[in-house]
C-alpha cells in the first residue's frame, strides 16, 4: 500500500464514517454499532469509553474486519485507512493489513495466546507472517521485543508456555507481539482491565512509551475514565451503539456536555477529592440495543430529557475545537430553556 | 445508633494465619509446602464503621474474609466476634454468631444459583437457620415471604419479580439480589468481597449508594474489599493495605491519600489513575518493577522487599512489626523505626 499520496493526507490515518454493524439474533436485530464516525490522526491516542455492551469492541472488530458472520454484518459506512476503504479489501489485502498496518491487543491475553505453544513459537510465527525473516532472525527479534516490554531473563523465558507467565507478563507478551509488527495503528481493547493497578501502570506506560518511540497511533478501549485522562489525546464516548460525545480529552473533562458523559464523570469516586455523603448516580439500566426506537437512547436515564428526546435521535452538534455532542439540549431551534 | 456504642469493637482479628497445604503424590499425599494466603494479620473493626481492605490480586483479601466467616478453619490466630472466639467456640455457638456475619460476593453472575428463583435465593439463609431450629418460633413461612418482599423493595428490586431467575436480571440487579440475601438474617456485619468490581461505572455508584444508605439505616458494620483505591477511600472509615498476606499499613481513610507512609501504599496510590487529565499530566508515578511474588515461600524479611524502591539491608532479614504512628495510623516498614 505505497501509493504516492502527499504526507498531508496521511495525517488522517484512519477515518471511520457512518459505520454500522448489526447482529441477527433470535430476539431481533442487535444494532451493536449504529452509525459512528471518528478520525484517528497519525501518532494520536484515541480513547473509546462506554458501558458494557455499548459497542466498543464491535467497533474495533469491524475496523479489523473480524466480525463473525453470521450473525454479524457490517451493514453500512466506510473505514478509510490511508484513504483506502478497508471494508472493500480482498482477503489477501486484509491479511496484509492486519499485523502490518493495524495490530490489536485483546482484553484477555489467554484467548489470543495458544496455551499449547511456547511463547517463542508463537512470536516467531507472528513475525514471520508479516516480515520476511529467518527463524533465527525472528527469534532474535522476539527476544528483543520481550526485553523491550520488560520480561526479565527474556532469552530463557521466551521458551515458556503462556500459563507459566503471570497475567501481567502475558499482557506484556501480547503488547510485544503487537508492536513487533511495527504497525501504524495499535488497537488495544481493555488491555489492562484484568490487571492490578501497579501492573496496569507499568503496561500503560509501556504502551505510551513505545507508541511514541515507534510513532504508532493508538485506539484505546477502556471503561476507566482515569486511564483515559492519563493516556488519550481525544475521547469518544459511546452509548448504545452511538458516539454521543467526542472531544479533546481536556475539553471533555473540563466541559462534559452530554448528560451521560457528565453523569459518568461525576459518578466515579475520586481519590483526590474530599467527599461526604452520596455519590452522583445515573439511575436505571443501560438500554437493550435490540429494536431500539429512533429516540435518544439515554432519555430514560436522563435528568434533562424533553419530549423530543423520546421520539427522535438528536443530530450531532459541533461545539467548536472538534468537540461534538449528540443531544437535543444543544440544538438551537429546539431549545425551550429547559435548564 | 447510640453514640456511646459507636467505638465498641465488634470484630477483632488477632494474628490470623490461613495457609493452604500444597500436596504432592497420588496415593501417599505428602505436604510439600503451603500457600501462605494470610500470614499473620491483626485488626479490629468497630461497630458501625467500614474497614476497607485493598491490595493486589492474590494478596489474601478474600481469604481473610472467608476465614473470618469460618468458611475455612484458620491455621492459627483468633477471630473474636462480639466477644466470642469463632475459631475455638463450640459449633452451636459459632453458628449462632455466624448468623450475624453475612457475605456479598464479587461476581453477581457466579454467586447466585441459576436454578433458584429470586425468592428462594433471598429466603435461603432464613430457611437454613429455621430448619436448624435456630430462629425464633414466630418466623413462619408467611413471615419469611413478607420478609423477602420487604428486602426486595429495600434494595430497589420490584417485588413482582420474586419468581424470576437470576439470568433475567442485569449485573447491578443481581448484585442487589445478593445484598438482599445478605440482609435476610438481620446481620450485624457484612463482609463484602469486591461487590462492585464487576459492575459498570454508572451501576457501581448506584450500589455504593445503596450500601451507604443501608449502613446508616440499619447500623451495619462492613468489611469491604476492593482493589480500586478510590472506591475503598470513598466507602471506608479505615483502610488496611495488604500485600502477600500481610497488612502493610492501617489508617483512617481520609489520611491515607494525604499521608501514605508505606512505600507500597505510595506506589499503589500513585498508580491509581485519576479522572482528570490536568492532574494526570502533572503526576509523578512510582512505577514498581516486577510482579507480585509467590506466596508459597516463607519469608524472613519484609514481604515487600523484592519490589520496594527504598529497601535497605535490614529489610532483607527482619520482618518489620506494625508500628503505631498516631492514634489512627499504623505502618509496618523499617523506614519508620
Ligand atoms: N457475536 C455476537 N452475536 C450477537 N450479539 C453480539 C455479538 N457480539 C457482540 N454482540 C452485541 O453487540 C453489542 C455490543 O457489544 P460489544 O462487545 O461491542 O460491547 P463493549 O462495549 O465492548 O462491551 P464490554 O465493555 O462489555 O466489552 C452487545 O449488545 C453485544 O451483546
Ligand atoms: N482454597 C485455596 N487453596 C489453595 N490456595 C488458595 C485457596 N484460596 C486462595 N488461595 C491462594 O491464596 C492466595 C490469596 O488468595 P485470595 O483469593 O485471598 O486473594 P485476593 O486478595 O482475594 O485476590 P483477588 O483480588 O484476585 O480476588 C492466592 O495465592 C491464592 O491462589
Ligand atoms: S521495610 Fe524496607 S523493604 Fe519493606 S517497605 Fe519498608 S523500606 Fe521497603
Ligand atoms: Mg468489549
Ligand atoms: Mg478475592
Amino acid at each position: 500500500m505505497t501509493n504516492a499520496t502527499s504526507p498531508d493526507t496521511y495525517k488522517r490515518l484512519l477515518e471511520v464514517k457512518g459505520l454500522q454493524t448489526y447482529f441477527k439474533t433470535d430476539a431481533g436485530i442487535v444494532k451493536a454499532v449504529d452509525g459512528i464516525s471518528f478520525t484517528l490522526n497519525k501518532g494520536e491516542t484515541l480513547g473509546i469509553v462506554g458501558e458494557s455492551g455499548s459497542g466498543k469492541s464491535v467497533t474495533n472488530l469491524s475496523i479489523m474486519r473480524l466480525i463473525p458472520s453470521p450473525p454479524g454484518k457490517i451493514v453500512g459506512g466506510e473505514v478509510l485507512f490511508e484513504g483506502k476503504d478497508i471494508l472493500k479489501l480482498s482477503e489477501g489485502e486484509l491479511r496484509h493489513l492486519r499485523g502490518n498496518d493495524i495490530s490489536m491487543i485483546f482484553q484477555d491475553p489467554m484467548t489470543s495466546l495458544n496455551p499449547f505453544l511456547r511463547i517463542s513459537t508463537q512470536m516467531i510465527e507472528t513475525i514471520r507472517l508479516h516480515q520476511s525473516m529467518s527463524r533465527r532472525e525472528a527469534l532474535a527479534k522476539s527476544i528483543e521485543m520481550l526485553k523491550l516490554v520488560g520480561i526479565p531473563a527474556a532469552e530463557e523465558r521466551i521458551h515458556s508456555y503462556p500459563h507459566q507467565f503471570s497475567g501481567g507478563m502475558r499482557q506484556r507478551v501480547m503488547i510485544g507481539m503487537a508492536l513487533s509488527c511495527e504497525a501504524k495503528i495499535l488497537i488495544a481493547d481493555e488491555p489492562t482491565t484484568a490487571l492490578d493497578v501497579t501492573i496496569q501502570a507499568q503496561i500503560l506506560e509501556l504502551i505510551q512509551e513505545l507508541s511514541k518511540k515507534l510513532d504508532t497511533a493508538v485506539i484505546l478501549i477502556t471503561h476507566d475514565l482515569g486511564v483515559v485522562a492519563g493516556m488519550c489525546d481525544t475521547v469518544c464516548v459511546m452509548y448504545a451503539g452511538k458516539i454521543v460525545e467526542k472531544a479533546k480529552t481536556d475539553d471533555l473533562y473540563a466541559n462534559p456536555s452530554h448528560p451521560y458523559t457528565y453523569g459518568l464523570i461525576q459518578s466515579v469516586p475520586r481519590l483526590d477529592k474530599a467527599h461526604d455523603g452520596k455519590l452522583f448516580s445515573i439511575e436505571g439500566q443501560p438500554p437493550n440495543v435490540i429494536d431500539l426506537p429512533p429516540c435518544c437512547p439515554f432519555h430514560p436515564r436522563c435528568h434533562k430529557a424533553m419530549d423530543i428526546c423520546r421520539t427522535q435521535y438528536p443530530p450531532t452538534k459541533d461545539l467548536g475545537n472538534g468537540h461534538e455532542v449528540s443531544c437535543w439540549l444543544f440544538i438551537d431551534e429546539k431549545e425551550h430553556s429547559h435548564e | 445508633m447510640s453514640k456511646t456504642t459507636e467505638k465498641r469493637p465488634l470484630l477483632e482479628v488477632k494474628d490470623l494465619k490461613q495457609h493452604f497445604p500444597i500436596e504432592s503424590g497420588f496415593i501417599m499425599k505428602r505436604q510439600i509446602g503451603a500457600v501462605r494466603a494470610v500470614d499473620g494479620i491483626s485488626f479490629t473493626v468497630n461497630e458501625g464503621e467500614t474497614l476497607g481492605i485493598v491490595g493486589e490480586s492474590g494478596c489474601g483479601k478474600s481469604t481473610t474474609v472467608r476465614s473470618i466467616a469460618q468458611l475455612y478453619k484458620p491455621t492459627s490466630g483468633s477471630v473474636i466476634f462480639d466477644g466470642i472466639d469463632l475459631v475455638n467456640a463450640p459449633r452451636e455457638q459459632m453458628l449462632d454468631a455466624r448468623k450475624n456475619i453475612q457475605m456479598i460476593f464479587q461476581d453477581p453472575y457466579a454467586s447466585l444459583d441459576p436454578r433458584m428463583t429470586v425468592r428462594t435465593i433471598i429466603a435461603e439463609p432464613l430457611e437454613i437457620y429455621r430448619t436448624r431450629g435456630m430462629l425464633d418460633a414466630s418466623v413462619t413461612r408467611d413471615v419469611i415471604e413478607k420478609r423477602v418482599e420487604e428486602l426486595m423493595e429495600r434494595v430497589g428490586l420490584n417485588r413482582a419479580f420474586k419468581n424470576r431467575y437470576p439470568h433475567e436480571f442485569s449485573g447491578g440487579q443481581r448484585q442487589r439480589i445478593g445484598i438482599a440475601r445478605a440482609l435476610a438474617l438481620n446481620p450485624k456485619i457484612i463482609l463484602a468481597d469486591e461487590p462492585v468490581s464487576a459492575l459498570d461505572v454508572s451501576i457501581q455508584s448506584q450500589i455504593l449508594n445503596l450500601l451507604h444508605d443501608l449502613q446508616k439505616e440499619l447500623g451495619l458494620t462492613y468489611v469491604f474489599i476492593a482493589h480500586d483505591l478510590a472506591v475503598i477511600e470513598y466507602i471506608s472509615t479505615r483502610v488496611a493495605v495488604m500485600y502477600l498476606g500481610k497488612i502493610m499499613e492501617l489508617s483512617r481513610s481520609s489520611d491515607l491519600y494525604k499521608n501514605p507512609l508505606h512505600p507500597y501504599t505510595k506506589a499503589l496510590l500513585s498508580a491509581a489513575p485519576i479522572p482528570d487529565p490536568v492532574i494526570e499530566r502533572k503526576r509523578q508515578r512510582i512505577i514498581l518493577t516486577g510482579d507480585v511474588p509467590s506466596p508459597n515461600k516463607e519469608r524472613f524479611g519484609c514481604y515487600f522487599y523484592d519490589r520496594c524502591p527504598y529497601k535497605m539491608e535490614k529489610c532483607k532479614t527482619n520482618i518489620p512489626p506494625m508500628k503505631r504512628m498516631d492514634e489512627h495510623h499504623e505502618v509496618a516498614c523499617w523506614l519508620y523505626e
Side-chain angles (χ1 to χ4, degrees):
Chain A
M1 259 178 248
T2 42
N3 22 8
T5 329
S6 73
D8 194 45
T9 333
Y10 284 5
K11 192 180 167 270
R12 304 176 146 231
L13 203 50
L14 186 79
E15 283 179 89
V16 175
K17 293 181 175 172
L19 179 70
Q20 289 174 302
T21 306
Y22 294 176
F23 290 90
K24 207 181 227 157
T25 68
D26 294 343
I29 302 286
V30 176
K31 298 184 176 177
V33 168
D34 200 16
I36 64 165
S37 306
F38 63 85
T39 305
L40 176 71
N41 292 319
K42 206 160 182 239
E44 180 182 40
T45 299
L46 175 114
I48 301 184
V49 282
E51 290 182 85
S52 186
S54 59
K56 306 182 293 295
S57 297
V58 170
T59 299
N60 289 286
L61 291 172
S62 305
I63 293 173
M64 295 286 275
R65 288 263 306 271
L66 289 171
I67 295 294
S69 176
K73 189 161 193 239
I74 299 174
V75 295
E78 292 177 295
V79 178
L80 306 177
F81 173 74
E82 294 186 333
K84 203 164 177 191
D85 193 350
I86 293 179
L87 304 185
K88 299 208 178 86
L89 296 185
S90 69
E91 275 303 321
E93 288 171 312
L94 266 180
R95 248 195 318 273
H96 181 87
L97 178 98
R98 297 186 193 133
N100 277 322
D101 296 319
I102 308 181
S103 58
M104 193 154 176
I105 312 171
F106 295 89
Q107 177 163 352
D108 178 6
M110 266 328 233
T111 58
S112 25
L113 286 174
N114 185 333
F116 303 110
L117 294 178
R118 295 178 197 278
I119 304 272
S120 50
T121 315
Q122 304 193 45
M123 289 191 80
I124 290 170
E125 274 174 16
T126 310
I127 290 175
R128 284 180 23 116
L129 202 61
H130 301 292
Q131 279 151 295
S132 51
M133 272 191 195
S134 71
R135 292 191 64 83
R136 275 181 82 105
E137 286 169 326
L139 176 67
K141 170 129 191 176
S142 309
I143 293 173
E144 185 194 320
M145 244 30 231
L146 286 191
K147 282 186 178 156
L148 197 63
V149 297
I151 303 284
E155 288 91 349
E156 297 148 38
R157 304 213 61 174
I158 193 162
H159 300 295
S160 313
Y161 289 93
H163 71 89
Q164 294 171 303
F165 278 16
S166 72
M169 285 165 75
R170 286 199 288 263
Q171 201 56 291
R172 275 181 263 163
V173 170
M174 288 299 303
I175 294 173
M177 281 171 71
L179 290 171
S180 65
C181 324
E182 288 169 30
K184 293 174 182 145
I185 300 176
L186 173 69
I187 298 178
D189 191 347
E190 314 238 14
T192 57
T193 303
L195 305 176
D196 285 320
V197 277
T198 62
I199 311 291
Q200 166 170 294
Q202 289 175 14
I203 302 274
L204 292 178
E205 191 169 271
L206 185 68
I207 293 179
Q208 209 160 27
E209 204 180 283
L210 293 182
S211 65
K212 252 199 206 103
K213 199 154 117 194
L214 307 171
D215 200 23
T216 315
V218 180
I219 298 179
L220 180 71
I221 306 181
T222 171
H223 59 263
D224 189 324
L225 290 163
V227 168
V228 173
M231 293 279 294
C232 301
D233 306 306
T234 326
V235 192
C236 296
V237 181
M238 285 194 77
Y239 193 81
K242 310 257 195 201
I243 292 179
V244 296
E245 188 163 3
K246 179 165 57 186
K248 296 260 176 296
T249 307
D250 283 17
D251 291 343
L252 190 88
Y253 285 78
N255 196 7
S257 299
H258 196 284
Y260 173 64
T261 316
Y262 176 85
L264 209 55
I265 291 176
Q266 291 296 311
S267 55
V268 284
R270 282 182 58 159
L271 266 176
D272 58 328
K273 292 247 164 99
H275 44 69
D276 34 338
K278 295 181 83 161
L279 280 172
F280 183 89
S281 167
I282 305 173
E283 296 307 323
Q285 308 290 331
N288 192 339
V289 282
I290 296 173
D291 302 326
L292 257 188
C295 56
C296 169
F298 189 60
H299 86 259
R301 305 175 76 187
C302 181
H303 296 304
K304 299 193 172 176
M306 305 168 289
D307 286 340
I308 190 157
C309 311
R310 298 182 186 95
T311 54
Q312 279 182 60
Y313 189 81
T316 300
K317 167 103 176 181
D318 193 341
L319 305 176
N321 193 24
H323 191 160
E324 291 176 14
V325 59
S326 298
C327 167
W328 283 113
L329 290 170
F330 299 88
I331 306 301
D332 293 338
E333 316 92 271
K334 310 287 180 189
E335 242 172 32
H336 329 284
S337 58
H338 262 254
E339 307 211 22
Chain B
M1 288 289 93
S2 73
K3 298 243 157 41
T4 47
T5 58
E6 232 174 64
K7 277 259 134 183
R8 196 177 71 98
L10 183 63
L11 177 71
E12 283 182 81
V13 172
K14 287 188 192 157
D15 206 22
L16 181 70
K17 288 191 183 172
Q18 185 75 61
H19 294 178
F20 298 105
I22 306 171
E23 285 164 343
S24 94
F26 273 122
I27 304 156
M28 301 283 284
K29 280 243 163 64
R30 214 159 40 89
Q31 186 176 341
I32 53 164
V35 181
R36 299 161 172 269
V38 173
D39 209 14
I41 61 171
S42 307
F43 58 85
T44 42
V45 188
N46 296 319
E47 198 161 46
E49 78 168 355
T50 301
L51 178 84
I53 303 180
V54 68
E56 292 176 279
S57 184
C59 71
K61 305 180 295 294
S62 299
T63 306
T64 300
V65 293
R66 288 180 173 184
S67 320
I68 292 172
Q70 303 303 302
L71 300 182
Y72 303 132
K73 173 123 187 79
T75 309
S76 65
S78 56
V79 175
I80 299 165
F81 176 76
D82 224 1
I84 297 163
D85 181 354
L86 300 180
V87 183
N88 299 306
R91 190 174 155 77
E92 194 77 352
Q93 198 183 16
M94 188 278 276
L95 284 176
D96 200 45
R98 254 296 261 125
K99 218 165 59 181
N100 284 306
I101 306 175
Q102 293 296 323
M103 288 194 69
I104 309 175
F105 299 93
Q106 164 169 9
D107 187 347
Y109 300 87
S111 60
L112 304 176
D113 188 334
R115 291 154 307 177
M116 296 198 331
T117 62
V118 171
R119 186 216 154 273
T120 323
I121 290 171
I122 298 176
E124 198 186 26
L126 287 160
E127 301 286 6
I128 289 174
Y129 272 87
R130 197 167 72 113
T131 14
R132 279 186 190 150
M134 292 175 78
L135 286 189
D136 207 86
S138 67
V139 183
T140 59
R141 286 223 95 93
D142 284 353
V143 171
I144 291 182
E145 208 57 42
K146 263 266 195 21
R147 177 97 181 116
V148 168
E149 291 182 356
E150 192 184 286
L151 285 164
M152 286 184 75
E153 304 263 279
R154 184 57 206 88
V155 300
L157 290 168
N158 189 335
R159 67 165 83 181
F161 297 163
K162 211 165 57 167
N163 294 317
R164 296 200 180 179
Y165 292 88
H167 74 260
E168 298 174 70
F169 294 87
S170 69
Q173 286 171 323
R174 284 185 240 207
Q175 202 49 286
R176 289 176 198 268
I177 299 172
I179 294 171
R181 176 189 156 95
L183 292 173
L185 287 163
N186 244 327
K188 289 188 180 152
I189 192 165
I190 289 191
L191 312 174
D193 190 353
E194 310 242 16
V196 297
S197 306
L199 304 175
D200 272 319
V201 176
S202 76
I203 309 300
Q204 175 175 307
S205 73
Q206 293 175 4
I207 299 294
L208 288 174
N209 282 339
L210 173 65
L211 290 170
H212 183 266
D213 290 348
L214 289 170
Q215 179 167 47
K216 273 205 162 148
E217 263 167 56
L218 308 173
L220 288 166
T221 306
Y222 291 148
V223 175
F224 192 105
I225 297 180
H227 57 258
D228 183 332
L229 272 159
V231 166
I232 277 291
E233 204 229 10
Y234 167 76
I235 194 106
S236 312
T237 327
R238 286 185 305 131
V239 179
V241 180
M242 276 187 85
Y243 188 81
L244 269 184
K246 277 279 198 206
I247 293 180
M248 299 282 122
E249 185 163 5
L250 192 57
S251 142
R252 196 152 55 188
S253 116
S254 48
D255 296 339
L256 198 68
Y257 182 75
K258 274 182 278 174
N259 185 26
L261 298 176
H262 199 284
Y264 178 61
T265 316
K266 288 182 183 173
L268 210 54
L269 281 164
S270 94
I274 289 177
D276 184 330
V278 182
I279 293 178
E280 277 292 304
R281 259 198 307 272
K282 282 190 287 202
R283 284 177 88 199
Q284 278 296 325
R285 288 231 145 84
I286 307 167
I287 302 276
L288 289 179
T289 50
D291 295 303
V292 182
S294 148
N296 301 1
K297 184 172 109 190
E298 188 170 1
R299 275 161 211 281
F300 302 98
C302 173
Y303 285 41
F304 187 53
Y305 182 82
D306 298 337
R307 294 172 84 198
C308 182
Y310 306 103
K311 60 184 161 213
M312 304 168 288
E313 201 44 45
K314 173 171 197 180
C315 313
K316 196 171 176 177
T317 45
N318 298 281
I319 300 177
M322 208 59 170
K323 181 167 181 193
R324 190 173 287 280
M325 304 301 287
D326 67 47
E327 198 196 338
H328 301 288
H329 209 150
E330 293 169 64
V331 62
C333 169
W334 288 120
L335 291 171
Y336 302 93
E337 207 179 351

